[in-house]
């Protein structure tokens, strides 16, 4: 440690005393304001003068007077204390952030990996921030956002931006035809919707983002599917397909196709087949309420999480997106 650094370490605890002495010009008043004995103030003054190498204050009766050296040094002492106070304010603000809550509405398919990965990254920086999570259909998520019961909504397709709702795309992933593992298309490298024109279709219910996307795919193919089942959960859809009860269109779930042909499981299994269509994808995005400021200002913790998702989200989810796209 250099001599200058040692001197700085010795001086730092004395700065508040020196700053107050410079303001009051009185040892007793300084001691009372700082809540310390007068002897402590006197010793601090003596130590500071010894470290600096020159007298900083001259006693005049019970008062003190700044020396020219002290007058030159005092503005720097006050600036250092002001900077430290700014740092304290930042820390206290962050402390309020970590104690805050963030309400997120999201579609079911984002609950396994996408949202947990984003929350994990945020909690690594603000470990005490609480999250209120609500999952449901795309329409339900956006309704909660519009009503103010959710701060953010993770949906697909991306919510359109309006005067009151802001939105941004994060990434896209393919949609694939899901068939029973013994279906004639199970071994195909690609398929068209026309290939399953006669098959019963397992769909998500109206109001779900995937339902609107599959409806668009069938409109492009020129026919309506024969819907055998409607579900509110993609896991149930995949399970019905695994039982041979129909085909469906879903994003990949990142797992290997399930095939269990034992007598006890009823020959369950499914296979994902890429679709030949330029519409066979979904775009995932984040939506938030556009706030007016003041009483309606966006809470710091919500802003910080939104900024993390928008600036770092794709990088954080890169492995997941790559695995599902492949």
């Amino acid at each position: 440690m250099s001599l200058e650094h040692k001197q700085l370490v010795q001086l730092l605890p004395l700065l508040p005393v020196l700053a107050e002495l410079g303001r009051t010009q009185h040892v007793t008043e300084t001691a009372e304001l700082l809540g310390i004995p007068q002897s402590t103030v006197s010793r601090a003054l003596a130590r500071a003068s010894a470290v600096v190498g020159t007298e900083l204050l001259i006693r005049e009766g019970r008062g003190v007077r700044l020396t020219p050296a002290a007058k030159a040094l005092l503005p720097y002492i006050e600036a250092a204390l002001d900077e430290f106070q700014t740092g304290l304010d930042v820390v206290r603000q962050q402390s309020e952030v970590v104690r805050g809550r963030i309400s997120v509405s999201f579609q079911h398919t984002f609950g396994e990996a996408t949202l947990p990965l984003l929350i994990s990254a945020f909690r690594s920086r603000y470990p005490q921030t609480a999250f209120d999570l609500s999952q449901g259909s795309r329409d339900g998520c956006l309704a909660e956002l519009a009503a103010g019961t959710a701060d953010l909504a993770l949906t697909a397709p991306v919510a359109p931006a309006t005067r009151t709702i802001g939105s941004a795309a994060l990434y896209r992933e393919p949609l694939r035809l899901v068939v029973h593992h013994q279906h004639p298309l199970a071994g195909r490298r690609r398929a068209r919707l026309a290939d399953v024109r006669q098959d019963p279709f397992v769909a998500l219910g109206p109001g779900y983002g995937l339902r609107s996307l599959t409806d668009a795919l069938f409109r492009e193919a020129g026919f309506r599917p024969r819907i055998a089942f409607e579900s509110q959960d993609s896991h149930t859809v995949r399970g019905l397909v695994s039982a041979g009860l129909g085909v469906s269109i879903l994003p990949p779930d990142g797992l290997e196709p399930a095939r269990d042909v034992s007598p006890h499981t009823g020959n369950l299994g499914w296979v994902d087949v890429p679709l030949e269509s330029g519409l066979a994808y979904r775009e995932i995005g984040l939506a938030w309420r556009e706030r007016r400021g003041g009483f309606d200002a966006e809470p710091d913790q919500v802003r910080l999480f939104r900024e993390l998702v928008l600036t770092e989200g794709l990088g954080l989810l890169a492995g997941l997106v790559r695995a599902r796209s492949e």
Side-chain angles (χ1 to χ4, degrees), residues 21-235:
L21 268 171
R23 188 182 67 81
T24 65
Q25 304 280 299
H26 201 284
V27 173
T28 302
E29 185 178 350
T30 296
E32 291 175 351
L33 288 170
L34 295 178
I36 58 178
Q38 292 185 41
S39 59
T40 301
V41 176
S42 298
R43 286 196 297 271
L45 174 58
R47 286 200 302 273
S49 296
V51 172
V52 174
T54 186
E55 291 295 330
L56 298 176
L57 297 165
I58 301 173
R59 292 182 179 275
E60 291 183 340
R62 298 187 64 183
V64 292
R65 176 169 55 85
L66 295 177
T67 65
K71 290 179 180 178
L73 186 59
L74 191 59
Y76 295 98
I77 293 175
E78 293 173 342
L81 293 174
D82 287 342
E83 286 294 316
F84 183 65
Q85 183 62 54
T86 301
L88 285 177
D89 292 340
V90 170
V91 169
R92 287 166 180 158
Q93 183 180 14
Q94 290 180 344
S95 178
E96 291 300 318
V97 169
V98 302
R99 287 196 293 268
R101 304 186 73 87
I102 302 172
S103 176
V104 183
S105 290
F106 63 100
Q107 292 172 222
H108 295 279
T109 50
F110 304 131
E112 287 188 351
T114 301
L115 184 58
L117 284 172
L118 296 172
I119 291 177
S120 177
F122 186 79
R123 288 284 296 272
S124 70
R125 304 174 193 183
Y126 305 100
Q128 297 182 44
T129 303
F131 281 81
D132 296 323
L133 305 179
S134 174
Q135 60 183 13
S137 68
R138 177 179 182 273
D139 286 0
C141 292
L142 296 180
E144 289 184 358
L145 184 66
T149 56
D151 298 309
L152 304 162
L154 192 63
T155 66
V158 183
T162 67
R163 184 176 59 84
T164 57
I165 298 295
S167 65
L170 300 178
Y171 65 95
R172 64 169 55 182
E173 62 184 3
L175 297 178
R176 291 175 176 157
L177 183 67
V178 185
V179 300
H180 188 262
H181 71 94
Q182 291 183 334
H183 191 281
L185 296 176
R188 294 268 292 274
R189 297 186 62 182
R190 303 186 70 81
R192 299 172 302 138
L193 281 186
D195 298 329
V196 293
R197 190 183 192 111
Q198 302 303 320
D199 289 72
F201 190 76
V202 184
L204 285 167
Y208 285 81
L210 277 173
R211 177 60 177 268
S212 64
L213 294 172
T214 56
D215 287 349
L217 282 165
F218 280 111
R219 283 196 298 271
E220 179 194 46
F223 69 96
R224 291 183 178 180
R226 183 163 58 89
I227 296 178
F229 300 94
E230 285 186 340
S231 176
Q232 298 179 346
D233 181 83
S234 62
H235 296 292

